[in-house]
mmCIF file with all atom_site columns, all heavy atoms in Angstrom:
data_model
loop_
_atom_site.group_PDB
_atom_site.id
_atom_site.type_symbol
_atom_site.label_atom_id
_atom_site.label_alt_id
_atom_site.label_comp_id
_atom_site.label_asym_id
_atom_site.label_entity_id
_atom_site.label_seq_id
_atom_site.pdbx_PDB_ins_code
_atom_site.Cartn_x
_atom_site.Cartn_y
_atom_site.Cartn_z
_atom_site.occupancy
_atom_site.B_iso_or_equiv
_atom_site.pdbx_formal_charge
_atom_site.auth_seq_id
_atom_site.auth_comp_id
_atom_site.auth_asym_id
_atom_site.auth_atom_id
_atom_site.pdbx_PDB_model_num
ATOM 1   N N   . ILE A 1 227 ? 19.896 19.497 0.383  1.00 92.00 ? 1488 ILE A N   1
ATOM 2   C CA  . ILE A 1 227 ? 18.834 19.369 1.387  1.00 92.00 ? 1488 ILE A CA  1
ATOM 3   C C   . ILE A 1 227 ? 18.837 17.954 1.961  1.00 92.00 ? 1488 ILE A C   1
ATOM 4   O O   . ILE A 1 227 ? 18.732 17.765 3.170  1.00 92.00 ? 1488 ILE A O   1
ATOM 5   C CB  . ILE A 1 227 ? 17.457 19.744 0.788  1.00 92.00 ? 1488 ILE A CB  1
ATOM 6   C CG1 . ILE A 1 227 ? 17.458 21.225 0.395  1.00 92.00 ? 1488 ILE A CG1 1
ATOM 7   C CG2 . ILE A 1 227 ? 16.350 19.492 1.798  1.00 92.00 ? 1488 ILE A CG2 1
ATOM 8   C CD1 . ILE A 1 227 ? 16.262 21.648 -0.404 1.00 92.00 ? 1488 ILE A CD1 1
ATOM 9   N N   . THR A 1 228 ? 19.012 16.958 1.075  1.00 92.00 ? 1489 THR A N   1
ATOM 10  C CA  . THR A 1 228 ? 19.108 15.577 1.559  1.00 92.00 ? 1489 THR A CA  1
ATOM 11  C C   . THR A 1 228 ? 20.280 15.440 2.533  1.00 92.00 ? 1489 THR A C   1
ATOM 12  O O   . THR A 1 228 ? 20.159 14.844 3.600  1.00 92.00 ? 1489 THR A O   1
ATOM 13  C CB  . THR A 1 228 ? 19.309 14.607 0.376  1.00 92.00 ? 1489 THR A CB  1
ATOM 14  O OG1 . THR A 1 228 ? 18.146 14.629 -0.416 1.00 92.00 ? 1489 THR A OG1 1
ATOM 15  C CG2 . THR A 1 228 ? 19.558 13.200 0.855  1.00 92.00 ? 1489 THR A CG2 1
ATOM 16  N N   . TYR A 1 229 ? 21.423 16.035 2.152  1.00 92.00 ? 1490 TYR A N   1
ATOM 17  C CA  . TYR A 1 229 ? 22.621 15.944 2.986  1.00 92.00 ? 1490 TYR A CA  1
ATOM 18  C C   . TYR A 1 229 ? 22.395 16.600 4.344  1.00 92.00 ? 1490 TYR A C   1
ATOM 19  O O   . TYR A 1 229 ? 22.707 16.027 5.389  1.00 92.00 ? 1490 TYR A O   1
ATOM 20  C CB  . TYR A 1 229 ? 23.804 16.603 2.266  1.00 92.00 ? 1490 TYR A CB  1
ATOM 21  C CG  . TYR A 1 229 ? 25.060 16.620 3.093  1.00 92.00 ? 1490 TYR A CG  1
ATOM 22  C CD1 . TYR A 1 229 ? 25.752 15.447 3.353  1.00 92.00 ? 1490 TYR A CD1 1
ATOM 23  C CD2 . TYR A 1 229 ? 25.545 17.826 3.612  1.00 92.00 ? 1490 TYR A CD2 1
ATOM 24  C CE1 . TYR A 1 229 ? 26.903 15.462 4.116  1.00 92.00 ? 1490 TYR A CE1 1
ATOM 25  C CE2 . TYR A 1 229 ? 26.691 17.850 4.375  1.00 92.00 ? 1490 TYR A CE2 1
ATOM 26  C CZ  . TYR A 1 229 ? 27.367 16.662 4.625  1.00 92.00 ? 1490 TYR A CZ  1
ATOM 27  O OH  . TYR A 1 229 ? 28.494 16.674 5.392  1.00 92.00 ? 1490 TYR A OH  1
ATOM 28  N N   . VAL A 1 230 ? 21.821 17.807 4.314  1.00 92.00 ? 1491 VAL A N   1
ATOM 29  C CA  . VAL A 1 230 ? 21.590 18.540 5.563  1.00 92.00 ? 1491 VAL A CA  1
ATOM 30  C C   . VAL A 1 230 ? 20.613 17.768 6.452  1.00 92.00 ? 1491 VAL A C   1
ATOM 31  O O   . VAL A 1 230 ? 20.846 17.602 7.655  1.00 92.00 ? 1491 VAL A O   1
ATOM 32  C CB  . VAL A 1 230 ? 21.075 19.970 5.277  1.00 92.00 ? 1491 VAL A CB  1
ATOM 33  C CG1 . VAL A 1 230 ? 20.566 20.647 6.542  1.00 92.00 ? 1491 VAL A CG1 1
ATOM 34  C CG2 . VAL A 1 230 ? 22.176 20.803 4.649  1.00 92.00 ? 1491 VAL A CG2 1
ATOM 35  N N   . LEU A 1 231 ? 19.542 17.252 5.840  1.00 90.00 ? 1492 LEU A N   1
ATOM 36  C CA  . LEU A 1 231 ? 18.564 16.495 6.619  1.00 90.00 ? 1492 LEU A CA  1
ATOM 37  C C   . LEU A 1 231 ? 19.200 15.261 7.241  1.00 90.00 ? 1492 LEU A C   1
ATOM 38  O O   . LEU A 1 231 ? 18.971 14.952 8.411  1.00 90.00 ? 1492 LEU A O   1
ATOM 39  C CB  . LEU A 1 231 ? 17.390 16.073 5.726  1.00 90.00 ? 1492 LEU A CB  1
ATOM 40  C CG  . LEU A 1 231 ? 16.237 17.059 5.590  1.00 90.00 ? 1492 LEU A CG  1
ATOM 41  C CD1 . LEU A 1 231 ? 15.213 16.544 4.603  1.00 90.00 ? 1492 LEU A CD1 1
ATOM 42  C CD2 . LEU A 1 231 ? 15.580 17.285 6.944  1.00 90.00 ? 1492 LEU A CD2 1
ATOM 43  N N   . THR A 1 232 ? 20.024 14.563 6.443  1.00 89.00 ? 1493 THR A N   1
ATOM 44  C CA  . THR A 1 232 ? 20.692 13.368 6.965  1.00 89.00 ? 1493 THR A CA  1
ATOM 45  C C   . THR A 1 232 ? 21.577 13.742 8.143  1.00 89.00 ? 1493 THR A C   1
ATOM 46  O O   . THR A 1 232 ? 21.545 13.101 9.194  1.00 89.00 ? 1493 THR A O   1
ATOM 47  C CB  . THR A 1 232 ? 21.554 12.710 5.867  1.00 89.00 ? 1493 THR A CB  1
ATOM 48  O OG1 . THR A 1 232 ? 20.793 12.626 4.685  1.00 89.00 ? 1493 THR A OG1 1
ATOM 49  C CG2 . THR A 1 232 ? 22.008 11.324 6.275  1.00 89.00 ? 1493 THR A CG2 1
ATOM 50  N N   . THR A 1 233 ? 22.369 14.779 7.963  1.00 89.00 ? 1494 THR A N   1
ATOM 51  C CA  . THR A 1 233 ? 23.335 15.164 8.981  1.00 89.00 ? 1494 THR A CA  1
ATOM 52  C C   . THR A 1 233 ? 22.654 15.661 10.249 1.00 89.00 ? 1494 THR A C   1
ATOM 53  O O   . THR A 1 233 ? 23.065 15.328 11.358 1.00 89.00 ? 1494 THR A O   1
ATOM 54  C CB  . THR A 1 233 ? 24.264 16.260 8.420  1.00 89.00 ? 1494 THR A CB  1
ATOM 55  O OG1 . THR A 1 233 ? 24.702 15.832 7.146  1.00 89.00 ? 1494 THR A OG1 1
ATOM 56  C CG2 . THR A 1 233 ? 25.444 16.491 9.312  1.00 89.00 ? 1494 THR A CG2 1
ATOM 57  N N   . VAL A 1 234 ? 21.603 16.445 10.064 1.00 89.00 ? 1495 VAL A N   1
ATOM 58  C CA  . VAL A 1 234 ? 20.945 17.049 11.222 1.00 89.00 ? 1495 VAL A CA  1
ATOM 59  C C   . VAL A 1 234 ? 20.197 15.998 12.042 1.00 89.00 ? 1495 VAL A C   1
ATOM 60  O O   . VAL A 1 234 ? 20.208 16.030 13.264 1.00 89.00 ? 1495 VAL A O   1
ATOM 61  C CB  . VAL A 1 234 ? 19.990 18.183 10.760 1.00 89.00 ? 1495 VAL A CB  1
ATOM 62  C CG1 . VAL A 1 234 ? 19.043 18.604 11.873 1.00 89.00 ? 1495 VAL A CG1 1
ATOM 63  C CG2 . VAL A 1 234 ? 20.802 19.379 10.293 1.00 89.00 ? 1495 VAL A CG2 1
ATOM 64  N N   . THR A 1 235 ? 19.559 15.048 11.342 1.00 88.00 ? 1496 THR A N   1
ATOM 65  C CA  . THR A 1 235 ? 18.730 14.096 12.075 1.00 88.00 ? 1496 THR A CA  1
ATOM 66  C C   . THR A 1 235 ? 19.484 12.837 12.483 1.00 88.00 ? 1496 THR A C   1
ATOM 67  O O   . THR A 1 235 ? 18.916 11.970 13.140 1.00 88.00 ? 1496 THR A O   1
ATOM 68  C CB  . THR A 1 235 ? 17.507 13.677 11.237 1.00 88.00 ? 1496 THR A CB  1
ATOM 69  O OG1 . THR A 1 235 ? 17.978 13.114 10.019 1.00 88.00 ? 1496 THR A OG1 1
ATOM 70  C CG2 . THR A 1 235 ? 16.591 14.830 10.956 1.00 88.00 ? 1496 THR A CG2 1
ATOM 71  N N   . ALA A 1 236 ? 20.773 12.759 12.103 1.00 84.00 ? 1497 ALA A N   1
ATOM 72  C CA  . ALA A 1 236 ? 21.525 11.529 12.391 1.00 84.00 ? 1497 ALA A CA  1
ATOM 73  C C   . ALA A 1 236 ? 21.646 11.301 13.898 1.00 84.00 ? 1497 ALA A C   1
ATOM 74  O O   . ALA A 1 236 ? 21.787 12.238 14.668 1.00 84.00 ? 1497 ALA A O   1
ATOM 75  C CB  . ALA A 1 236 ? 22.907 11.616 11.772 1.00 84.00 ? 1497 ALA A CB  1
ATOM 76  N N   . ASN A 1 237 ? 21.599 10.038 14.287 1.00 82.00 ? 1498 ASN A N   1
ATOM 77  C CA  . ASN A 1 237 ? 21.734 9.717  15.716 1.00 82.00 ? 1498 ASN A CA  1
ATOM 78  C C   . ASN A 1 237 ? 23.189 9.361  16.060 1.00 82.00 ? 1498 ASN A C   1
ATOM 79  O O   . ASN A 1 237 ? 24.069 9.373  15.191 1.00 82.00 ? 1498 ASN A O   1
ATOM 80  C CB  . ASN A 1 237 ? 20.759 8.605  16.110 1.00 82.00 ? 1498 ASN A CB  1
ATOM 81  C CG  . ASN A 1 237 ? 21.005 7.340  15.308 1.00 82.00 ? 1498 ASN A CG  1
ATOM 82  O OD1 . ASN A 1 237 ? 22.020 7.207  14.636 1.00 82.00 ? 1498 ASN A OD1 1
ATOM 83  N ND2 . ASN A 1 237 ? 20.071 6.415  15.380 1.00 82.00 ? 1498 ASN A ND2 1
ATOM 84  N N   . LYS A 1 238 ? 23.416 9.047  17.300 1.00 81.00 ? 1499 LYS A N   1
ATOM 85  C CA  . LYS A 1 238 ? 24.773 8.755  17.778 1.00 81.00 ? 1499 LYS A CA  1
ATOM 86  C C   . LYS A 1 238 ? 25.396 7.591  17.033 1.00 81.00 ? 1499 LYS A C   1
ATOM 87  O O   . LYS A 1 238 ? 26.567 7.585  16.704 1.00 81.00 ? 1499 LYS A O   1
ATOM 88  C CB  . LYS A 1 238 ? 24.706 8.412  19.269 1.00 81.00 ? 1499 LYS A CB  1
ATOM 89  C CG  . LYS A 1 238 ? 25.037 9.594  20.151 1.00 81.00 ? 1499 LYS A CG  1
ATOM 90  C CD  . LYS A 1 238 ? 25.092 9.121  21.594 1.00 81.00 ? 1499 LYS A CD  1
ATOM 91  C CE  . LYS A 1 238 ? 24.817 10.261 22.548 1.00 81.00 ? 1499 LYS A CE  1
ATOM 92  N NZ  . LYS A 1 238 ? 24.281 9.794  23.812 1.00 81.00 ? 1499 LYS A NZ  1
ATOM 93  N N   . SER A 1 239 ? 24.562 6.580  16.791 1.00 80.00 ? 1500 SER A N   1
ATOM 94  C CA  . SER A 1 239 ? 25.070 5.361  16.162 1.00 80.00 ? 1500 SER A CA  1
ATOM 95  C C   . SER A 1 239 ? 25.619 5.648  14.762 1.00 80.00 ? 1500 SER A C   1
ATOM 96  O O   . SER A 1 239 ? 26.600 5.067  14.322 1.00 80.00 ? 1500 SER A O   1
ATOM 97  C CB  . SER A 1 239 ? 23.954 4.325  16.142 1.00 80.00 ? 1500 SER A CB  1
ATOM 98  O OG  . SER A 1 239 ? 24.062 3.497  15.049 1.00 80.00 ? 1500 SER A OG  1
ATOM 99  N N   . TYR A 1 240 ? 24.964 6.610  14.055 1.00 81.00 ? 1501 TYR A N   1
ATOM 100 C CA  . TYR A 1 240 ? 25.408 6.973  12.701 1.00 81.00 ? 1501 TYR A CA  1
ATOM 101 C C   . TYR A 1 240 ? 26.810 7.576  12.758 1.00 81.00 ? 1501 TYR A C   1
ATOM 102 O O   . TYR A 1 240 ? 27.711 7.173  12.029 1.00 81.00 ? 1501 TYR A O   1
ATOM 103 C CB  . TYR A 1 240 ? 24.408 7.958  12.114 1.00 81.00 ? 1501 TYR A CB  1
ATOM 104 C CG  . TYR A 1 240 ? 24.779 8.568  10.782 1.00 81.00 ? 1501 TYR A CG  1
ATOM 105 C CD1 . TYR A 1 240 ? 24.671 7.837  9.612  1.00 81.00 ? 1501 TYR A CD1 1
ATOM 106 C CD2 . TYR A 1 240 ? 25.201 9.896  10.694 1.00 81.00 ? 1501 TYR A CD2 1
ATOM 107 C CE1 . TYR A 1 240 ? 24.973 8.395  8.385  1.00 81.00 ? 1501 TYR A CE1 1
ATOM 108 C CE2 . TYR A 1 240 ? 25.504 10.469 9.472  1.00 81.00 ? 1501 TYR A CE2 1
ATOM 109 C CZ  . TYR A 1 240 ? 25.391 9.716  8.326  1.00 81.00 ? 1501 TYR A CZ  1
ATOM 110 O OH  . TYR A 1 240 ? 25.693 10.292 7.119  1.00 81.00 ? 1501 TYR A OH  1
ATOM 111 N N   . TRP A 1 241 ? 26.984 8.526  13.669 1.00 82.00 ? 1502 TRP A N   1
ATOM 112 C CA  . TRP A 1 241 ? 28.299 9.156  13.789 1.00 82.00 ? 1502 TRP A CA  1
ATOM 113 C C   . TRP A 1 241 ? 29.318 8.160  14.321 1.00 82.00 ? 1502 TRP A C   1
ATOM 114 O O   . TRP A 1 241 ? 30.482 8.184  13.933 1.00 82.00 ? 1502 TRP A O   1
ATOM 115 C CB  . TRP A 1 241 ? 28.227 10.379 14.708 1.00 82.00 ? 1502 TRP A CB  1
ATOM 116 C CG  . TRP A 1 241 ? 27.401 11.481 14.113 1.00 82.00 ? 1502 TRP A CG  1
ATOM 117 C CD1 . TRP A 1 241 ? 26.264 12.000 14.620 1.00 82.00 ? 1502 TRP A CD1 1
ATOM 118 C CD2 . TRP A 1 241 ? 27.653 12.166 12.886 1.00 82.00 ? 1502 TRP A CD2 1
ATOM 119 N NE1 . TRP A 1 241 ? 25.771 12.975 13.795 1.00 82.00 ? 1502 TRP A NE1 1
ATOM 120 C CE2 . TRP A 1 241 ? 26.605 13.101 12.718 1.00 82.00 ? 1502 TRP A CE2 1
ATOM 121 C CE3 . TRP A 1 241 ? 28.649 12.083 11.918 1.00 82.00 ? 1502 TRP A CE3 1
ATOM 122 C CZ2 . TRP A 1 241 ? 26.530 13.945 11.618 1.00 82.00 ? 1502 TRP A CZ2 1
ATOM 123 C CZ3 . TRP A 1 241 ? 28.567 12.931 10.818 1.00 82.00 ? 1502 TRP A CZ3 1
ATOM 124 C CH2 . TRP A 1 241 ? 27.519 13.848 10.673 1.00 82.00 ? 1502 TRP A CH2 1
ATOM 125 N N   . GLY A 1 242 ? 28.841 7.290  15.189 1.00 80.00 ? 1503 GLY A N   1
ATOM 126 C CA  . GLY A 1 242 ? 29.732 6.256  15.728 1.00 80.00 ? 1503 GLY A CA  1
ATOM 127 C C   . GLY A 1 242 ? 30.273 5.374  14.621 1.00 80.00 ? 1503 GLY A C   1
ATOM 128 O O   . GLY A 1 242 ? 31.462 5.028  14.623 1.00 80.00 ? 1503 GLY A O   1
ATOM 129 N N   . HIS A 1 243 ? 29.412 5.059  13.671 1.00 80.00 ? 1504 HIS A N   1
ATOM 130 C CA  . HIS A 1 243 ? 29.865 4.200  12.575 1.00 80.00 ? 1504 HIS A CA  1
ATOM 131 C C   . HIS A 1 243 ? 30.768 4.945  11.615 1.00 80.00 ? 1504 HIS A C   1
ATOM 132 O O   . HIS A 1 243 ? 31.489 4.334  10.839 1.00 80.00 ? 1504 HIS A O   1
ATOM 133 C CB  . HIS A 1 243 ? 28.667 3.620  11.822 1.00 80.00 ? 1504 HIS A CB  1
ATOM 134 C CG  . HIS A 1 243 ? 28.138 2.382  12.457 1.00 80.00 ? 1504 HIS A CG  1
ATOM 135 N ND1 . HIS A 1 243 ? 27.447 2.394  13.640 1.00 80.00 ? 1504 HIS A ND1 1
ATOM 136 C CD2 . HIS A 1 243 ? 28.241 1.072  12.094 1.00 80.00 ? 1504 HIS A CD2 1
ATOM 137 C CE1 . HIS A 1 243 ? 27.127 1.155  13.962 1.00 80.00 ? 1504 HIS A CE1 1
ATOM 138 N NE2 . HIS A 1 243 ? 27.603 0.336  13.051 1.00 80.00 ? 1504 HIS A NE2 1
ATOM 139 N N   . ILE A 1 244 ? 30.727 6.272  11.640 1.00 78.00 ? 1505 ILE A N   1
ATOM 140 C CA  . ILE A 1 244 ? 31.609 7.021  10.749 1.00 78.00 ? 1505 ILE A CA  1
ATOM 141 C C   . ILE A 1 244 ? 32.984 7.217  11.391 1.00 78.00 ? 1505 ILE A C   1
ATOM 142 O O   . ILE A 1 244 ? 34.012 6.882  10.807 1.00 78.00 ? 1505 ILE A O   1
ATOM 143 C CB  . ILE A 1 244 ? 30.973 8.386  10.383 1.00 78.00 ? 1505 ILE A CB  1
ATOM 144 C CG1 . ILE A 1 244 ? 29.816 8.145  9.425  1.00 78.00 ? 1505 ILE A CG1 1
ATOM 145 C CG2 . ILE A 1 244 ? 32.003 9.313  9.755  1.00 78.00 ? 1505 ILE A CG2 1
ATOM 146 C CD1 . ILE A 1 244 ? 28.976 9.361  9.178  1.00 78.00 ? 1505 ILE A CD1 1
ATOM 147 N N   . PHE A 1 245 ? 32.983 7.731  12.637 1.00 78.00 ? 1506 PHE A N   1
ATOM 148 C CA  . PHE A 1 245 ? 34.274 8.099  13.228 1.00 78.00 ? 1506 PHE A CA  1
ATOM 149 C C   . PHE A 1 245 ? 34.947 6.958  13.973 1.00 78.00 ? 1506 PHE A C   1
ATOM 150 O O   . PHE A 1 245 ? 36.160 6.949  14.124 1.00 78.00 ? 1506 PHE A O   1
ATOM 151 C CB  . PHE A 1 245 ? 34.092 9.290  14.179 1.00 78.00 ? 1506 PHE A CB  1
ATOM 152 C CG  . PHE A 1 245 ? 33.767 10.551 13.453 1.00 78.00 ? 1506 PHE A CG  1
ATOM 153 C CD1 . PHE A 1 245 ? 32.555 11.184 13.643 1.00 78.00 ? 1506 PHE A CD1 1
ATOM 154 C CD2 . PHE A 1 245 ? 34.676 11.091 12.553 1.00 78.00 ? 1506 PHE A CD2 1
ATOM 155 C CE1 . PHE A 1 245 ? 32.259 12.349 12.958 1.00 78.00 ? 1506 PHE A CE1 1
ATOM 156 C CE2 . PHE A 1 245 ? 34.384 12.248 11.863 1.00 78.00 ? 1506 PHE A CE2 1
ATOM 157 C CZ  . PHE A 1 245 ? 33.165 12.879 12.070 1.00 78.00 ? 1506 PHE A CZ  1
#
Side-chain angles (χ1 to χ4, degrees):
Chain A
I1488 296 170
T1489 294
Y1490 177 70
V1491 169
L1492 272 176
T1493 313
T1494 312
V1495 166
T1496 58
N1498 59 12
K1499 262 186 205 154
S1500 149
Y1501 173 76
W1502 293 118
H1504 275 72
I1505 288 170
F1506 291 116

